[in-house]
Amino acid sequence: DRTKKDGAIDDALILDEKIDKLKSDSKSQLDYLIREKLVESEVKKLNLTLSEDRVDSEMTTLAKRNQMSKTDLEAYIKKQGYSLAEYRKALKARLERQSFFEAEVISKLRITDEDAYSEFRAQFPKYKPVVNEFSIAQIYFNPKKGSGSEALTRAEETLSKLSGGESFESLANKYNEDPRANKDGYMGSFKSGEFLPEIEAAISSLDKNQSSQIIKSKIGFHIVKVLDKKITQDPQFLKIKEQIKSALVEKNFKRQLKNWFESKKQDAYIKIN
C-alpha cells in the first residue's frame, strides 16, 4: 500500500481529496492511479523523461540537504519500506511530474500584482488604501440660488437623470452652478486633504469613473465623479505580496490541473496494471 510509504503519494495528484480518503476509498484510489497514468503518458509525449544521471544527481542533493551520507540515505530509504530501486523509480516519476506541471500548468498561470492586491483586499476587508491624489469633476448646486431645499431638489432631479443613463458630462454642462465651472464639470487633481472633507469622505471608496450620490457640504450640494485616483500601496501589502501570489498560483494550479485531467479523461484509454 503506497499510502503508507513516505513520498509514494504525490500531493499534487490528490487535488481536493484528503489523504485519509485515499487510504480507504477504492474510487479515490482508482482516480489517483488514472491521474498518474495521464501525466505519465504526457511526460513521454513531451519528452520530459529523465535520465538515470539526473536521478543520481537528485539523490546526491537529497543526501546533502539532509546532512546524510549515501549509506545513511539508503538506510533511511529501506526504513521507509522501499528498496533502493523502488525509491529511485518513485523519485524519477515525481521529478518528471514536476517537470510536466511546470511546463504545462504553472507556466500558463498569470498572476499579476493586481490579482494579488484584490486578494489582499478580500483578506483584509477593513483595510483602507492610502490615496495620494484624486482627479475629479463635479456638478454643484448653490443654496444661495433660491434656497437650500430648492438646491437639494435640483440636485435630486439631476441625480435621477444621471441614474437614468444621461452622461455626467452633459449634465454638468447643463446644470453645474459653480461660477468657475470648467467644461464637463472638471475640477482638477487634488491630493488627500486639499479639498472639502465631506467630498473626500464620500468618494474615497469610489473607483475610477464612478459617481457619488448627493454630497452635502458647508457650501452646498455636489455630485462628484472620480476621473482618476492614484493609490499608494500599503507597506503591509508589499511585504506579503509574493506570499499572496504564491498562494494564488497554488490555488489556480489545482483548478487548472483538475480541468486538464477532466478534459484528458474524456478521450483517453487508460489501462491500470
Side-chain angles (χ1 to χ4, degrees), residues 197-226:
E198 300 93 337
I199 293 179
E200 184 168 346
I203 67 173
S204 60
S205 60
L206 296 181
D207 291 327
K208 181 179 177 180
N209 293 324
Q210 285 189 322
S211 301
S212 71
Q213 296 297 306
I214 296 169
I215 304 166
K216 182 180 180 181
S217 76
K218 61 184 179 182
I219 63 171
F221 300 94
H222 316 254
I223 301 172
V224 177
K225 180 176 181 179
V226 175

Side-chain angles (χ1 to χ4, degrees), residues 5-264:
K5 294 181 180 180
D6 185 34
I9 299 298
D10 192 329
D11 292 342
L13 296 180
I14 296 178
L15 296 179
D16 296 326
E17 297 168 356
K18 303 292 185 184
I19 187 68
D20 289 342
K21 185 177 181 182
L22 191 63
K23 289 179 179 179
S24 59
D25 185 77
S26 59
K27 183 180 182 304
S28 294
Q29 292 167 5
L30 178 60
D31 287 341
Y32 179 88
L33 292 173
I34 288 172
R35 291 194 285 268
E36 269 194 331
K37 287 293 183 182
L38 286 170
V39 175
E40 182 182 307
S41 172
E42 205 70 15
V43 164
K44 291 176 181 176
K45 188 188 299 184
L46 298 171
N47 197 27
L48 296 173
T49 305
L50 298 181
S51 67
E52 291 301 318
D53 286 344
R54 171 66 194 283
V55 180
D56 287 337
S57 175
E58 189 65 24
M59 292 281 286
T60 300
T61 300
L62 191 60
K64 287 181 178 178
R65 188 184 303 137
N66 291 279
Q67 299 180 327
M68 293 179 176
S69 66
K70 184 177 179 181
T71 303
D72 291 337
L73 179 62
E74 290 178 6
Y76 175 78
I77 288 169
K78 289 177 182 177
K79 191 176 179 181
Q80 300 305 311
Y82 288 98
S83 69
L84 186 59
E86 287 173 333
Y87 188 84
R88 287 176 62 89
K89 182 179 179 182
L91 178 61
K92 181 174 182 289
R94 182 180 286 268
L95 292 172
E96 288 172 345
R97 285 195 290 268
Q98 287 175 353
S99 295
F100 163 73
F101 295 149
E102 290 168 5
E104 292 299 305
V105 182
I106 295 174
S107 67
K108 293 178 170 58
L109 295 175
R110 296 288 180 267
I111 306 298
T112 65
D113 286 357
E114 287 73 22
D115 295 329
Y117 185 64
S118 295
E119 180 67 16
F120 174 77
R121 294 294 302 274
Q123 290 180 15
F124 301 96
K126 294 183 179 179
Y127 161 79
K128 292 185 178 180
V130 179
V131 179
N132 269 354
E133 189 173 277
F134 288 101
S135 179
I136 61 174
Q138 79 159 346
I139 309 173
Y140 169 67
F141 303 90
N142 191 344
K144 293 181 180 179
K145 188 177 178 182
S147 66
S149 61
E150 290 172 344
L152 178 58
T153 298
R154 294 194 299 274
E156 290 170 341
E157 290 172 351
T158 303
L159 182 63
S160 176
K161 292 177 181 179
L162 181 62
S163 301
E166 290 192 46
S167 75
F168 182 95
E169 290 72 21
S170 64
L171 292 170
N173 291 329
K174 287 180 186 177
Y175 302 116
N176 197 350
E177 297 171 6
D178 183 348
R180 300 165 298 174
N182 294 312
K183 185 175 184 297
D184 299 336
Y186 179 69
M187 289 186 70
S189 296
F190 303 87
K191 294 190 184 316
S192 294
E194 289 184 345
F195 54 105
L196 291 170
E198 300 93 337
I199 293 179
E200 184 168 346
I203 67 173
S204 60
S205 60
L206 296 181
D207 291 327
K208 181 179 177 180
N209 293 324
Q210 285 189 322
S211 301
S212 71
Q213 296 297 306
I214 296 169
I215 304 166
K216 182 180 180 181
S217 76
K218 61 184 179 182
I219 63 171
F221 300 94
H222 316 254
I223 301 172
V224 177
K225 180 176 181 179
V226 175
L227 305 176
D228 198 8
K229 61 195 296 190
K230 295 178 181 177
I231 297 175
T232 298
Q233 291 180 334
D234 193 302
Q236 182 186 356
F237 166 65
L238 295 176
K239 183 188 284 187
I240 63 173
K241 181 177 74 172
E242 293 307 318
Q243 180 182 332
I244 292 175
K245 291 177 84 169
S246 295
L248 287 174
V249 166
E250 182 178 348
K251 179 180 176 182
N252 284 278
F253 164 78
K254 288 182 179 179
R255 185 181 69 243
Q256 191 101 335
L257 185 61
K258 189 174 183 179
N259 291 340
W260 183 87
F261 282 131
E262 290 302 318
S263 66
K264 287 293 180 181

